[in-house]
Amino acid sequence: MTPEIRPFTIAVPDAIINDLHTRLGNTRWPEAELVDDWSQGTPLAYVQEVCEYWANGYDWRTREAALNRFDQFTTEIDGLDLHFIHQRSPHANATPLLLTHGWPGSIVEFHKVIEPLTDPTRFGGDAADAFHVVAPSLPGYGFSAKPTETGWGIDRIAGAFVALMGRLGYDKYVAQGGDWGAGITTAIGALDPTHCQAIHVTLAMGARPKLDGELTPEMHRALERLQFYRDWDSGYSKQQATRPQTVGYGLVDSPSAQAAWIIEKFWAWTDNDGHPEDVLDRDEMLDNIMLYWINGNGASSARLYWESFGKGTRHVVTIPSGFAVFPKEVSLPIREWVEDSYTDIVHWERYDKGGHFAAFEVPDVFVAEIRSMFRRYRPGF
């Protein structure tokens, strides 16, 4: 008998919204940064501006209703309730597609791509490119339950998502992910080659640069970006990988802290002209932040770093794999550096616009990329 899959509707109690507004109004602010840029972190004036809007301009009920246009469910797998979008296509023979987000993202990252992926004819596409989209919230993120024991790293999450696809009746499927989603998708490709027919990622987690021989300009750029990340952009990950509980107190207690923590990455990791709102509008950034705030996920989301850094299996994926390389990605995939881990690369595409949050930043490009990669893996392949 198929275990129970329960319909889910986002319905945040008024008490949580009222408490949020009270906390925003009572924020104890630090002094301003001593520079005129973002080099010391998210600027005070901007965080204050966003938080004032969050309290007095942002309409959660309207945003909540917009997110509820997607069919959502929960189900218990491996002792944990998982929340997920399951948006079925109206088109016959649609390809099941598992989309996995990372940190500091959420299912909100996919809000601009789910409809064109599931119903391409509404957006000028071909019905043959339709997908049934499954987009889970990671354990400890969004509306998924928080793990109450250690062990929920990349491989265990991958196993839970494999079980989810089976529970939904998908014997064959394809998978895509970025950030932690790339690591989870890679694990799925390695652990479930019987059912997962192909994977696509935008970040090669754990890829080891090969420095023997002459380096290409692209390799030099990748090494420069990696060095910058290590020197100036990775403090959050060290904190979350070593002391997630400590950072969690501020993130769960203070909405301004949670907002600043996430917005910094929207500034650093999107392909913008100096400001995150060059790429993402304020409402959708706050939608994403709300999915961390509502259930107090500051610590539980951070623990994924503690569970996974240096503790996961180094997988080799032998099923067909595809990569999209976006210029402002945190760590640029280099084909020569990933071929040992992905032995059947069938798709490699470079773009001149876009960053770490491809579905969020360049949704039209992302949709076209997913269609191109998985077109050959339709049902019956």
Side-chain angles (χ1 to χ4, degrees), residues 87-99 113-134 170 172-174 367-368 370-381:
Q87 199 69 30
R88 290 186 60 85
S89 173
H91 300 292
N93 298 318
T95 304
L97 169 64
L98 173 63
L99 289 178
V113 303
I114 290 174
E115 288 160 314
L117 286 171
T118 56
D119 194 1
T121 58
R122 277 180 54 207
F123 299 85
D126 187 336
D129 285 328
F131 296 91
H132 299 308
V133 171
V134 179
Y170 295 131
K172 305 288 184 183
Y173 63 93
V174 297
V367 168
I370 295 306
R371 291 173 180 170
S372 176
M373 166 62 199
F374 292 128
R375 191 166 284 142
R376 69 203 87 181
Y377 304 107
R378 296 168 180 163
F381 36 81

Side-chain angles (χ1 to χ4, degrees), residues 55-324:
N56 300 308
Y58 176 75
D59 182 359
W60 168 249
R61 294 304 176 199
T62 298
R63 309 301 293 183
E64 181 182 69
L67 290 174
N68 278 329
R69 74 188 186 275
F70 302 123
D71 297 331
Q72 298 170 65
F73 304 87
T74 60
T75 192
E76 183 180 324
I77 295 177
D78 196 7
L80 199 72
D81 271 353
L82 291 180
H83 163 262
F84 60 98
I85 291 173
H86 183 202
Q87 199 69 30
R88 290 186 60 85
S89 173
H91 300 292
N93 298 318
T95 304
L97 169 64
L98 173 63
L99 289 178
T100 305
H101 70 82
W103 184 94
S106 68
I107 58 167
V108 171
E109 283 185 67
F110 305 127
H111 82 98
K112 290 178 278 195
V113 303
I114 290 174
E115 288 160 314
L117 286 171
T118 56
D119 194 1
T121 58
R122 277 180 54 207
F123 299 85
D126 187 336
D129 285 328
F131 296 91
H132 299 308
V133 171
V134 179
S137 296
L138 296 178
Y141 289 66
F143 297 102
S144 284
K146 302 172 184 179
T148 57
E149 60 183 7
T150 60
W152 278 95
I154 284 178
D155 285 4
R156 190 167 178 181
I157 296 172
F161 288 2
V162 167
L164 174 63
M165 295 305 282
R167 185 168 296 180
L168 294 174
Y170 295 131
D171 185 57
K172 305 288 184 183
Y173 63 93
V174 297
Q176 196 282 333
D179 194 85
W180 283 118
I184 293 164
T185 299
T186 296
I188 288 170
L191 298 172
D192 191 34
T194 301
H195 304 102
C196 184
Q197 300 301 287
I199 67 166
H200 179 279
V201 296
T202 53
L203 179 69
M205 292 186 70
R208 296 171 179 168
K210 298 176 182 177
L211 303 180
D212 53 321
E214 185 175 352
L215 300 182
T216 66
E218 185 180 33
M219 291 175 182
H220 281 292
R221 285 194 297 273
L223 290 172
E224 289 170 0
R225 288 191 63 78
L226 186 59
Q227 190 62 51
F228 179 84
Y229 174 79
R230 289 171 174 168
D231 290 345
W232 295 102
D233 209 17
S234 61
Y236 78 98
S237 66
K238 190 66 173 177
Q239 179 68 30
Q240 296 190 156
T242 58
R243 300 292 186 270
Q245 188 68 21
T246 303
V247 74
Y249 295 111
L251 298 179
V252 171
D253 187 62
S254 169
S256 63
Q258 183 67 87
W261 194 244
I262 289 177
I263 286 172
E264 181 200 299
K265 297 312 174 194
F266 285 147
W267 165 76
W269 295 348
T270 61
D271 193 357
N272 62 66
D273 295 322
H275 198 284
E277 290 185 35
D278 296 333
V279 178
L280 303 172
D281 70 48
R282 191 173 295 180
D283 280 327
E284 62 188 356
M285 286 195 292
L286 285 171
D287 291 347
N288 184 76
I289 293 164
M290 281 291 286
L291 263 64
Y292 285 79
W293 178 257
I294 290 164
N295 293 313
N297 290 335
S300 59
S301 61
R303 288 192 194 104
L304 181 53
Y305 288 75
W306 186 91
E307 292 283 3
S308 301
F309 269 22
K311 300 176 183 178
T313 303
R314 192 171 188 84
H315 292 292
V316 175
V317 179
T318 59
I319 64 172
S321 304
F323 284 78

